[in-house]
Amino acid sequence: MIYEDPRAYLLGLEGMALLRAFAGEFGRDFVEARIAEIRRLLADETLANAAVDVDRVDTVAGYRLWSATYDQPNSAFDLDEPVVTGIVDALPVGVALDAACGTGRYAELLAERGHRVIGVDGSPEMLARARTRVPPGQFLLGDLHRLPVADAEVDLVVCGLALTHVPVLEPVLAEFARVLRPGGHLVIADMHPERVAQGAIPPVRGADGRPGRLTSYCHPLGHYLRAALAAGLQVRRCEEPPVPVTERPGRTGALAPWDLWPWALADLVPEAARAVSEGAPALVIWHFQRQ
């Protein structure tokens, strides 16, 4: 069970902003405004009574619930697709595995470029949508730890926004290396660990309406690197697309519903939120090659 108190998130943002000020990025007026805002937040009775108990939801159940709306506009898609597309476009056409393919977002991109596509996912509901989206693809039910793919069968593996749900990276990267042919390529896009630590974890509602979040883990960049090197994968590229810069107008009135947390909460403290997010990485995108 996760205990989500909006004050914890808001005070966390204020604290991060104050640390940046302490390091010299902001001056006296900014610091005094943050401290005054903290006092206001602590005195707000609406916030004091708004905490929510949230279930931890495993990925199979979570993506079953999310499958119907997964392809709705998602800012993460806008950030990862240009970089992933640029990497893939520079590679030879061959057999491509979309690992944790979901509804076939990457599979569609690969098929359009002439690859013979294999998609693997643990959610039957996601796979059903992927088959409709990419009819020529071969879509298989499976787990990232035991891919239903033969040794050295593919030239390219792509994996998008999935490894944050894996507790340990080493066995999964070793499995990716197993199915790659020598010289094959692996492209991974994931939520940046800084964003995961700030609550960028997908929300879902159970059949009974209870709030839940997909079980997620914060993997520092060094974890990806060490797991890849141990699997015989060499780094070719690493990108950290930043959080899009947007003006937060501030929010007044009723507290936003839980389904919009934590981003709607940030609108309660727009200056602190902007100070924390400006220039910060949103995703990490890796390009590895099997030796």
Side-chain angles (χ1 to χ4, degrees), residues 76 78-88 106 159 161 186-195 219-222 224-225 235-243 279-288:
D78 297 333
L79 293 175
D80 73 341
E81 288 180 7
V83 181
V84 171
T85 299
I87 295 172
V88 169
Y106 282 175
C159 182
L161 306 179
L186 167 63
V187 181
I188 295 170
D190 232 335
M191 295 303 300
H192 198 280
E194 289 186 19
R195 296 298 277 176
H219 299 301
L221 300 192
Y224 294 90
L225 184 59
V235 180
R236 294 295 180 227
R237 185 174 173 183
C238 180
E239 299 288 345
E240 297 175 272
V243 176
L283 303 178
V284 59
I285 300 173
W286 293 96
H287 176 196
F288 298 106

Side-chain angles (χ1 to χ4, degrees), residues 14-259:
E14 298 283 6
M16 293 174 69
L18 285 169
L19 283 174
R20 295 184 71 163
F22 192 82
E25 294 187 40
F26 306 101
R28 178 189 296 270
D29 289 347
F30 180 87
V31 170
E32 290 181 349
R34 302 283 65 71
I35 292 172
E37 195 163 56
I38 288 170
R39 292 195 178 101
R40 175 180 63 77
L41 293 170
L42 291 173
D44 189 328
E45 293 185 2
T46 301
L47 295 175
N49 298 309
V52 177
D53 288 320
V54 179
D55 295 330
R56 298 181 189 272
V57 182
D58 68 73
T59 52
V60 173
Y63 279 103
R64 180 179 67 248
L65 294 168
W66 198 8
S67 62
T69 59
Y70 184 79
D71 289 326
Q72 290 180 354
N74 185 325
S75 60
F77 298 170
D78 297 333
L79 293 175
D80 73 341
E81 288 180 7
V83 181
V84 171
T85 299
I87 295 172
V88 169
D89 282 349
L91 301 178
V93 172
V95 181
L97 168 65
D98 186 357
C101 65
T103 60
R105 180 168 65 101
Y106 282 175
E108 183 177 45
L109 180 155
L110 294 165
E112 289 173 347
R113 283 154 178 77
H115 293 272
R116 181 168 72 82
V117 176
I118 302 170
V120 174
D121 201 274
S123 167
E125 292 78 12
M126 288 285 201
L127 287 170
R129 293 179 177 274
R131 291 185 183 106
T132 300
R133 184 173 188 168
V134 190
Q138 178 187 10
F139 293 97
L140 306 170
L141 186 66
D143 185 90
L144 294 180
H145 296 82
R146 296 175 298 278
L147 293 168
V149 178
D151 293 357
E153 184 176 349
V154 304
D155 303 287
L156 169 64
V157 176
V158 296
C159 182
L161 306 179
L163 295 190
T164 52
H165 304 308
V166 172
V168 181
L169 295 177
E170 282 81 359
V172 175
L173 264 354
E175 187 70 352
F176 290 163
R178 177 187 68 79
V179 303
L180 276 173
R181 294 176 179 138
H185 297 265
L186 167 63
V187 181
I188 295 170
D190 232 335
M191 295 303 300
H192 198 280
E194 289 186 19
R195 296 298 277 176
V196 178
Q198 293 173 28
I201 300 172
V204 293
R205 288 275 185 180
D208 58 358
R210 287 182 56 84
R213 292 200 188 270
L214 270 64
T215 301
S216 299
Y217 303 88
C218 187
H219 299 301
L221 300 192
H223 287 191
Y224 294 90
L225 184 59
R226 286 189 291 275
L229 294 175
L233 299 165
Q234 297 177 325
V235 180
R236 294 295 180 227
R237 185 174 173 183
C238 180
E239 299 288 345
E240 297 175 272
V243 176
V245 177
T246 57
E247 288 297 322
R248 310 198 78 92
R251 175 183 288 271
T252 58
L255 184 65
W258 170 83
D259 306 77

Side-chain angles (χ1 to χ4, degrees), residues 2-8 50-54 199 212-213 258 261-262 265:
I2 305 169
Y3 180 71
E4 295 189 7
D5 188 323
R7 296 172 302 178
V52 177
D53 288 320
V54 179
R213 292 200 188 270
W258 170 83
W261 293 7
L265 295 177

